Amino acid sequence: MAPSGSLRIPVAVLPLLLWGAPWAHGRRSDVRIITDENWRELLEGEWMIEFYAPWCPACQNLQPEWESFAEWGEDLEVNVAKVDETEQPGLSGRFIITAPTTTYHCKDGEFRRYQGPRTKKDFINFVSDKEWKSIEPVSSWFGPGSILMSSMSALFQLSMWIRTCHNYFIEDLGLPIWGSYTVFAVATLLSGLLLGLFMIFVADCLCPSKRHRPQPYPSRKLLPESSQPLKKVEEEQEADVEDVSGEESESKEETNKDFAQNAVRQRSVGPSLATDKS
């Protein structure tokens, strides 16, 4: 009889366990999970998105309210979603999440940060009464789809990758902390050197230095109209120089002629004086 009594307790408890299980009711959570792969779905329709961290006590307290609010999503025609910051660092950088329990409202690609009370009733009133219209949307420069925020997302992903590598070096390979830092320092120097060489190569291809450029053959080019007055001035100066040289040559010729005439006169006067003396 003892064995039959011991079996009655689990059999009596089993229906309660089955009734309390989520799948026993045929329902599942209405909160959608957003990742780096499907975040562009937020750009269409109306959304309420919560960024949380599993270790955060405030996030844990908010989860029941958020789940209850998600049950009203179909009636309010709003999609309710959440993002795990620890699993999606790229989205944390894309939305500039600096603290957990950050909530955003999105309407056709326009994002607004929700900063009101965090209860089911307040969430419902915020959507049904369209209180989000009184909040200024995020600038397009800082929108999650902009180039700036895409770069920020890549930076956050890189930081998470570095952290994962650091933990791998310390926990799996057994390297000391300073050894892990040394590996990252050497990798940073090498990557900077390679990047600098690549940039120099690209700059040299796009803008080659003058010593490598072929020297063009001298050729006469038509002077622009702006230089014609200068050319006229130069021609006038050259003409003046030629006139002065011509005048000098003429004066020299005249002096030479005068000198020759004087010499002839002296020769003719000399014999006449000699005959007079005799």
Side-chain angles (χ1 to χ4, degrees), residues 32-43:
R32 301 183 61 176
I33 305 300
I34 300 299
T35 63
D36 285 320
E37 287 73 21
N38 64 350
W39 75 268
R40 292 191 177 276
E41 296 180 5
L42 303 175
L43 303 178

Side-chain angles (χ1 to χ4, degrees), residues 79-119:
N79 300 299
V80 182
K82 62 181 180 179
V83 178
D84 187 351
E85 299 177 19
T86 59
E87 297 293 335
Q88 307 297 330
L91 290 179
S92 299
R94 195 177 292 276
F95 286 87
I96 317 180
I97 305 301
T98 57
T101 65
T102 300
T103 307
Y104 274 93
H105 173 271
C106 178
K107 177 67 173 178
D108 297 331
E110 288 187 348
F111 291 84
R112 294 172 173 85
R113 188 165 183 172
Y114 175 80
Q115 296 179 338
R118 301 176 183 277
T119 63

Side-chain angles (χ1 to χ4, degrees), residues 165-166 168-181 183:
C165 293
H166 176 70
Y168 173 76
F169 291 153
I170 295 176
E171 297 175 0
D172 297 345
L173 299 182
L175 291 178
I177 296 178
W178 62 266
S180 177
Y181 290 162
V183 171

Side-chain angles (χ1 to χ4, degrees), residues 53-88:
W55 51 264
C56 175
C59 299
Q60 296 173 2
N61 296 331
L62 178 62
Q63 291 309 308
E65 298 288 338
W66 197 252
E67 292 286 345
S68 300
F69 168 58
E71 295 176 0
W72 287 74
E74 185 176 355
D75 297 333
L76 297 173
E77 297 182 353
V78 62
N79 300 299
V80 182
K82 62 181 180 179
V83 178
D84 187 351
E85 299 177 19
T86 59
E87 297 293 335
Q88 307 297 330

Side-chain angles (χ1 to χ4, degrees), residues 245-265:
S245 60
E247 292 177 356
E248 290 180 353
S249 61
E250 291 178 358
S251 60
K252 288 181 179 180
E253 290 178 358
E254 291 179 356
T255 53
N256 291 333
K257 289 180 180 180
D258 294 339
F259 180 76
Q261 291 177 358
N262 291 333
V264 172
R265 289 176 182 176

